[in-house]
Amino acid sequence: LLQTESLESKGHQTKPPARLTEASLVKELEARGIGRPSTYASIIDTILHRKYVFKKGTAMVPTFTAFAVTRLLEEHLTWLVDYEFTARMENQLDEIARGKDDSLEVLQRFYSGEAGLKHRLSTAVDDIDARTVCTMTLGTTESGVDVDIRIGKFGPFLSSGDDRADIPRDLPPDELTLTKAIELINEKAEGPRELGLDPESEKQVFLAIGRFGPYVQLGEQEGKTKPKRSSLLRGMLPEEVDLAVALKLLALPRELGTHPESSEPVMVANGRYGPYVKSGSETRSIPADHAGPLHITLDQALTLLAQPKAGRKSAEPLKVLGADPSTDRELKLMNGRYGPYVTDGKTNASLPKSMSPDGIDLEEAIALIRKRESMPKRPRRRKS
């Protein structure tokens, strides 16, 4: 007969799977047979460029726009986002490359066939309601009013009755709870907080929260002239900002003095990637362990400017394969973000899946480089 001598309770919470990084996304694409080593970079560039994801450290965080687009495709064009469809399309492209299928016939079937894209899109358009697709209900307030996430022309925002509020761009969707949403809506409804008058201009200084986070503002908008604004520094909490701090923020960028060698002004500013000092064409980031842009001195700024600019370290090759006899350029086997590739310093060529990096020799590497050189170059994407 077994007897229980003691019981001990232990709590356990299931952790959600880690967010995808560029490397783990490539592994997932490989496992599903989607894409090729030569297309992985363009796939990642596309989802970043279209703001379907944003980077948080090394993690790729999906945006609300991505959720709306995925919802649209899954509900109205299910076949188009089926993993098997994508894999089959890749196989068709391989058949075209081998000369076993005709590219024009494949495109004709895909677009104008009985079950082609043209027919399916014309049918789906009548069923799609843009407002429904671009609205996600987060929850309901105590008063019974729905709190919705909506994707508009200028990005996602919160809607609750007649109230609206911007969603901070760096806020991951899984961190936007109903409580956080109501907090953002209430902050927006309260409007900018008055901090006091600027002694020089005698204009009111406000603290407000916008799409890009909290900021301070000098005066109100007059006609088409926008008032001066300045974002809060990283790590600075809105409740800690008073009039004195706000005026220092609004004074950025400010001049610290003159560089003794170049006679150029030495400036300090708060930029997109954090605070920095600048003199002429030379810029240096202000490290976290240094005095911030509100307190840095001219001597400290000159010390930073005197330091060599941090450069990107070149990666070590996995193997040096030898020189190409026709160009005299040295070929190297490298390990990149999307797998191994060979390079002669001018052209990069990814290794096919069937080729082992350990067994590649100089002749095979030259053949890969020649094949890559013969391919037409893709036009660079222009910034809108």
Side-chain angles (χ1 to χ4, degrees), residues 268-344:
V268 60
N270 185 31
R272 180 181 177 185
Y273 302 105
Y276 65 95
V277 291
K278 178 181 180 180
S279 182
S281 60
E282 291 291 321
T283 59
R284 299 290 186 276
S285 296
I286 301 176
D289 57 350
H290 278 55
L294 304 185
H295 307 288
I296 192 170
T297 64
L298 176 61
D299 289 340
Q300 291 171 326
L302 291 174
T303 302
L304 287 174
L305 290 167
Q307 296 176 2
K309 205 165 192 177
R312 187 178 292 178
K313 294 182 179 178
S314 58
E316 290 294 326
L318 298 177
K319 188 192 299 184
V320 177
L321 301 170
D324 184 342
S326 60
T327 62
D328 289 331
R329 288 197 286 265
E330 190 174 55
L331 271 69
K332 299 176 182 178
L333 175 66
M334 309 293 291
N335 189 27
R337 287 192 300 170
Y338 311 112
Y341 66 96
V342 291
T343 179
D344 63 358

Side-chain angles (χ1 to χ4, degrees), residues 28-46:
E28 188 69 22
L29 293 173
E30 287 178 338
R32 296 182 182 273
I34 300 172
R36 294 292 181 268
S38 58
T39 61
Y40 293 146
S42 62
I43 290 172
I44 291 174
D45 287 343
T46 298

Side-chain angles (χ1 to χ4, degrees), residues 157-376:
F157 63 94
L158 292 166
S159 173
S160 181
D162 295 329
D163 295 324
R164 302 285 187 276
D166 293 317
I167 299 175
R169 289 198 171 190
D170 58 349
L171 180 66
D174 59 337
E175 295 180 14
L176 181 58
T177 61
L178 179 61
T179 303
K180 179 64 176 178
I182 294 173
E183 180 185 322
L184 291 170
I185 290 171
N186 291 337
E187 287 177 353
K188 184 70 174 180
E190 291 173 0
R193 177 160 60 93
E194 296 182 356
L195 299 177
L197 292 176
D198 172 26
E200 291 187 10
S201 64
E202 296 185 351
K203 292 181 179 180
Q204 184 64 246
V205 178
F206 300 97
L207 173 67
I209 297 176
R211 292 167 59 200
F212 303 101
Y215 64 92
V216 291
Q217 175 177 306
L218 180 62
E220 298 180 358
Q221 184 161 338
E222 299 175 1
K224 294 183 179 180
T225 305
K226 293 184 178 180
K228 184 173 183 180
R229 293 177 177 178
S230 183
S231 298
L232 270 60
L233 302 176
R234 289 177 184 172
M236 189 177 282
L237 300 176
E239 54 268 22
E240 297 174 351
V241 178
D242 56 17
L243 178 61
V245 174
L247 292 175
K248 289 180 180 179
L249 289 170
L250 289 166
L252 296 175
R254 66 187 176 96
E255 185 175 337
L256 299 175
T258 304
H259 198 291
E261 296 178 6
S262 64
S263 298
E264 295 272 5
V266 178
M267 307 294 294
V268 60
N270 185 31
R272 180 181 177 185
Y273 302 105
Y276 65 95
V277 291
K278 178 181 180 180
S279 182
S281 60
E282 291 291 321
T283 59
R284 299 290 186 276
S285 296
I286 301 176
D289 57 350
H290 278 55
L294 304 185
H295 307 288
I296 192 170
T297 64
L298 176 61
D299 289 340
Q300 291 171 326
L302 291 174
T303 302
L304 287 174
L305 290 167
Q307 296 176 2
K309 205 165 192 177
R312 187 178 292 178
K313 294 182 179 178
S314 58
E316 290 294 326
L318 298 177
K319 188 192 299 184
V320 177
L321 301 170
D324 184 342
S326 60
T327 62
D328 289 331
R329 288 197 286 265
E330 190 174 55
L331 271 69
K332 299 176 182 178
L333 175 66
M334 309 293 291
N335 189 27
R337 287 192 300 170
Y338 311 112
Y341 66 96
V342 291
T343 179
D344 63 358
K346 186 178 180 181
T347 303
N348 298 340
S350 299
L351 268 63
K353 289 183 180 179
S354 58
M355 184 177 289
S356 171
D358 298 328
I360 188 171
D361 57 24
L362 179 59
E363 290 184 4
E364 291 173 321
I366 293 174
L368 290 173
I369 292 291
R370 293 291 174 271
K371 183 179 179 181
R372 187 70 185 90
E373 288 174 341
S374 64
M375 296 173 64

